[in-house]
Amino acid sequence: MDKRKAVKRMLSNLSRHNFNNFRDELVNRQKEPRIVRNRVEEKSFLEITEVLISTFSETGAVEVSAELLIAIDCHTEAAQLLKDAGDECSEPESRNMGATGGPASENGSRDSEHFVDKHRTELINRVNCVADILDQLLENKVITPSIYDEILVIPTSQKQMRKLFSGPLNAAGPRGKDVFYRILEKEEKYLIEELKRKK
């Protein structure tokens, strides 16, 4: 199956809920080139296929679509898309997920140190909204209710963050760190932007 057909098939098979999430993730994508909302809002899967291909090329449309699917937790759909498009990578989460910037390092290699590990000290010292972050980590099942309660009673945000890094995040693995990164992008936007600029 060629790449255009693979993207079209993927979009046509998404549930309405996942299709809406995909579209929302697409317009909120931070990496250039960006797509403005009115190009995809209320558009059919055929129209969005054309927008993806005209913006990113056929190969790029497959890669960006896989990234967005992973971001909305449609891992099976991402794997099927890559298979249909003739991509030999069977683990889509091992790709450079540029939609978030978290899983891959600045050089785009998944083998490199994860963003949150690389900036561990800065994050421990400067993140303040730990309770909000814990709420979302619990909601996304990155941490358990008992870990949530244990960290929440710790008196300072620095100690809370240190505890989070020392056990639960390591146990959650790369996927849990990806979720943590996306939460930080939302809750600590300016800090993350500053850290991204650091080499």
Side-chain angles (χ1 to χ4, degrees):
M1 186 183 300
D2 68 33
K3 291 177 169 59
R4 179 187 295 269
K5 287 181 180 176
V7 172
K8 183 167 66 175
R9 177 180 175 182
M10 176 275 294
L11 289 172
S12 70
N13 287 336
L14 288 179
S15 68
R16 180 178 294 274
H17 173 74
N18 286 336
F19 182 76
N20 289 337
N21 282 345
F22 180 92
R23 193 171 54 191
D24 187 61
E25 197 73 27
L26 176 60
V27 298
N28 287 304
R29 184 175 180 269
Q30 298 300 309
K31 193 174 179 182
E32 296 292 343
R34 300 185 61 180
I35 292 176
V36 294
R37 185 172 294 276
N38 64 12
R39 291 193 67 194
V40 296
E41 200 164 42
E42 305 302 324
K43 303 294 185 184
S44 70
F45 72 88
L46 291 172
E47 291 170 306
I48 291 178
T49 299
E50 292 309 312
V51 169
L52 286 166
I53 289 169
S54 65
T55 304
F56 303 111
S57 80
E58 289 193 6
T59 299
V62 170
E63 293 178 354
V64 169
S65 295
E67 292 166 3
L68 298 177
L69 288 168
I70 290 166
I72 62 172
D73 293 325
C74 290
H75 297 273
T76 302
E77 291 85 348
Q80 186 63 50
L81 169 63
L82 295 173
K83 181 180 176 183
D84 289 346
D87 194 306
E88 295 178 357
C89 178
S90 61
E91 293 290 335
E93 49 269 71
S94 72
R95 301 173 64 83
N96 173 22
M97 288 161 40
T100 65
S105 70
E106 288 81 358
N107 63 14
S109 170
R110 184 64 181 239
D111 294 333
S112 313
E113 192 175 20
H114 196 288
F115 181 93
V116 299
D117 291 325
K118 181 176 180 180
H119 299 287
R120 179 180 186 276
T121 302
E122 289 267 26
L123 292 172
I124 287 173
N125 290 330
R126 298 177 62 184
V127 168
N128 292 312
C129 56
V130 184
D132 292 336
I133 292 169
L134 290 173
D135 288 341
Q136 294 174 66
L137 288 173
L138 180 63
E139 184 180 330
N140 284 279
K141 297 181 170 54
V142 175
I143 60 173
T144 63
S146 61
I147 292 292
Y148 173 89
D149 293 338
E150 186 181 333
I151 296 177
L152 205 57
V153 298
I154 296 174
T156 68
S157 58
Q158 284 83 8
K159 288 180 180 178
Q160 288 175 326
M161 287 292 288
R162 194 171 287 112
K163 175 67 175 177
L164 184 60
F165 269 102
S166 68
L169 275 183
N170 284 333
R175 191 173 295 177
K177 290 176 183 178
D178 295 348
V179 174
F180 179 50
Y181 173 85
R182 290 200 293 272
I183 295 168
L184 287 172
E185 268 197 317
K186 182 169 62 174
E187 299 293 339
E188 297 281 358
K189 178 181 176 182
Y190 297 111
L191 172 58
I192 296 303
E193 286 178 356
E194 177 190 330
L195 295 178
K196 277 183 181 178
R197 290 193 292 268
K198 290 189 174 182
K199 298 298 181 184

